[in-house]
């Protein structure tokens, strides 16, 4: 029997569930995630998504293992620029970031703030640490990749193979969020 985990936004209007184990549980330190996180955090009632070192906590799941159960009418996308290949989707009912999606990607990077306290999968690695400001100090508790590692891409490729090289479309986003 496959385990499912129920997740939701801060106010409880958005519900989703994920099936099985994640692809990887990570912190992203890239300039884009730090810039978007800083802007999203300025929204009223938005949770803090940038951690102490400025990284954004994500848990990556195959798209075919994520089900949106309620509240998608609150989903709006935010892009750093109109031509950005990534979109961040926010539940505007309480300004909780829900996921980051790469154009054409077969996975969703779900924001760590969706997990109830104490249930977030353990952190496995940090990526894009070369984008952090000079002098940043990183703990040595997990691998701190300057970029995405070969093992990171191998995990994504393994998930894509398991999905039969499909990339399901996420169509439940209702408009744009201007920040």
């Amino acid at each position: 029997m496959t385990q499912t985990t129920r997740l939701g936004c801060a106010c409880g209007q958005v519900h989703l569930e994920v099936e099985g184990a994640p692809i990887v549980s990570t912190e992203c330190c890239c300039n884009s995630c730090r810039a978007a996180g800083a802007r999203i955090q300025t929204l009223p009632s938005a949770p803090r998504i940038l951690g102490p070192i400025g990284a954004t906590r994500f848990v990556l799941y195959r798209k075919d293992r994520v089900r949106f159960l309620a509240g998608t009418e609150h989903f709006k996308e935010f892009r750093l620029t109109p031509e950005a290949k990534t979109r961040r989707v926010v539940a505007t009912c309480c300004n909780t970031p829900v996921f980051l999606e790469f154009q054409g990607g077969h996975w969703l990077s779900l924001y760590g703030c969706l997990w109830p306290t104490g249930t977030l999968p353990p952190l496995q690695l940090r990526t894009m640490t070369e984008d952090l400001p000079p002098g940043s100090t990183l703990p040595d508790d997990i691998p701190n990749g300057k970029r995405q590692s070969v093992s990171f891409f191998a995990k994504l490729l393994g998930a894509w193979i398991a999905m039969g090289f499909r990339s399901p479309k996420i169509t439940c986003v209702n408009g744009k969020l201007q920040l």
Side-chain angles (χ1 to χ4, degrees):
M1 180 171 190
T2 303
Q3 177 185 350
T4 59
T5 303
R6 291 198 174 235
L7 307 171
C9 69
C11 74
Q13 292 187 56
V14 171
H15 298 275
L16 61 146
E17 65 182 17
V18 292
E19 180 183 310
I23 298 169
V24 67
S25 182
T26 185
E27 281 185 334
C28 185
C29 303
C30 80
N31 290 329
S32 294
C33 283
R34 289 184 302 110
R39 289 168 71 179
I40 291 169
Q41 286 179 169
T42 66
L43 293 168
S45 303
R48 182 149 186 81
I49 54 175
L50 294 177
I53 63 168
T56 303
R57 188 72 158 82
F58 289 112
V59 181
L60 282 62
Y61 268 90
R62 294 170 31 173
K63 283 183 177 177
D64 64 348
R65 292 194 172 173
V66 178
R67 284 183 292 290
F68 298 104
L69 306 173
T72 58
E73 67 274 10
H74 300 292
F75 284 2
K76 292 201 183 293
E77 73 175 41
F78 167 65
R79 295 178 190 259
L80 283 171
T81 64
E83 40 306 309
K85 302 259 186 221
T86 58
R87 68 177 178 167
R88 289 151 177 94
V89 173
V90 174
T92 57
C93 47
C94 58
N95 292 319
T96 298
V98 179
F99 64 85
L100 177 147
E101 179 183 31
F102 286 91
Q103 183 177 327
H106 60 280
W107 73 95
L108 291 179
S109 299
L110 299 171
Y111 281 88
C113 61
L114 298 173
W115 272 259
T117 303
T119 66
L120 185 63
L123 187 60
Q124 296 171 292
L125 60 98
R126 288 182 192 89
T127 62
M128 299 303 297
T129 62
E130 73 179 9
D131 282 359
L132 289 171
S136 296
T137 303
L138 296 169
D140 62 0
D141 54 343
I142 56 170
N144 292 308
K146 289 186 179 195
R147 303 195 58 75
Q148 290 96 352
S149 65
V150 171
S151 67
F152 177 82
F153 284 114
K155 289 175 189 237
L156 288 178
L157 178 59
W160 197 29
I161 291 168
M163 292 174 66
F165 298 102
R166 293 177 300 111
S167 180
K169 301 275 186 235
I170 304 295
T171 59
C172 57
V173 179
N174 304 296
K176 300 178 188 294
L177 182 63
Q178 302 299 321
L179 292 174

